[in-house]
Amino acid sequence: MPPPATRAAWVSAAEELAARHEVPAAMLERHGPPRLRPGAAPARRFEALASSIAYQQLAGRAAEVTWSRVLAAVGDPFTPEAVLAAGHDVLRATGLSTAKTTSLLDLATKVRDGVVRLDRIGRLPDAAVVEHLTVVRGIGTWTAQMFLLFELRRLDVWPAGDLGVRVGFARAFGMDAAPTEREMAPLGEPFAPYRSVLAWWCWREVDTDSRFTT
């Protein structure tokens, strides 16, 4: 697989989409090319994936507080062994739900035992990354797609089930209502192989979450 996309590659992809269609052209004018934080180094991918579990279905500030407590409880370095040593009760006391605590412990177990190989995951194609990560309890397609986009920096991720992407798409394209997940899949096809760029623009249409930017 190619290495994570560089800043220049994101700019080039944005310009290519803008040249194809007037709506991406307007989105480029409004938001500029995607500005993503650098993806986690291989040694920090476990921590990055664990944080995505903590952030699921929480508002930004609440998630940040909970995650800071998890980091303090587990300590540095944040490793599978350290998470397992902390255990269920300590993790639950940080504010993680029971489901998220179970998911984090399952992730730690599978990484420790070599079932999930985060050191090699960057070599896999996109679909295989999703398949590899969703063996973990509590990690679904959306979380795997966020890992693909933000950590592996893949250019053609299309999170059709993400509400922000759906609402942003509807707003940008002048639709009366947000498309369903099923409807979003074919709507993204004309923008391959740069659908990550379009997804980022859709988020910017509705959200200013600093996690999406440098």
Side-chain angles (χ1 to χ4, degrees):
M1 292 303 299
T6 63
R7 168 67 173 164
W10 287 96
V11 172
S12 178
E15 292 174 346
E16 167 66 21
L17 288 185
R20 289 188 201 174
H21 195 287
E22 62 183 6
V23 173
M27 296 169 90
L28 176 60
E29 181 68 22
R30 284 195 296 275
H31 307 301
R35 302 177 298 280
L36 277 69
R37 294 177 178 176
R44 307 293 288 191
R45 285 174 180 166
F46 171 74
E47 183 176 337
L49 195 52
S51 72
S52 72
I53 292 172
Y55 272 81
Q56 288 172 358
Q57 300 178 328
L58 280 180
R61 180 56 183 163
E64 289 171 6
V65 170
T66 299
W67 180 240
S68 67
R69 291 172 180 164
V70 173
L71 291 174
V74 173
D76 190 28
F78 191 94
T79 63
E81 292 76 14
V83 168
L84 293 169
H88 182 279
D89 291 346
V90 169
L91 294 172
R92 185 73 178 85
T94 66
L96 289 176
S97 67
T98 298
K100 289 181 180 181
T101 298
T102 301
S103 180
L104 184 52
L105 290 170
D106 191 51
L107 172 65
T109 299
K110 285 184 167 64
V111 173
R112 181 200 61 187
D113 295 347
V115 176
V116 172
R117 296 293 304 271
L118 296 178
D119 56 332
R120 298 182 178 180
I121 201 167
R123 305 174 188 176
L124 300 177
D126 293 357
V129 170
V130 173
E131 183 178 359
H132 193 63
L133 292 180
T134 53
V135 301
V136 176
R137 180 173 179 176
I139 292 184
T141 299
W142 180 87
T143 301
Q145 289 174 328
M146 295 305 100
F147 186 84
L148 273 169
L149 203 162
F150 291 108
E151 303 305 330
L152 300 184
R153 297 173 68 88
R154 300 285 175 84
L155 283 170
D156 196 33
V157 180
W158 187 233
D162 186 281
L163 180 61
V165 173
R166 289 160 47 210
V167 172
F169 188 96
R171 185 171 298 178
F173 285 82
M175 303 172 72
D176 292 333
T180 65
E181 180 175 356
R182 178 175 293 182
E183 291 168 340
M184 279 291 283
L187 287 172
E189 289 177 2
F191 306 100
Y194 304 123
R195 287 174 290 183
S196 295
V197 176
L198 185 62
W200 188 89
W201 280 333
C202 289
W203 278 312
R204 299 307 296 174
E205 290 289 314
V206 297
D207 197 359
T208 57
D209 191 326
S210 63
R211 287 178 296 150
F212 298 139
T213 64
T214 53

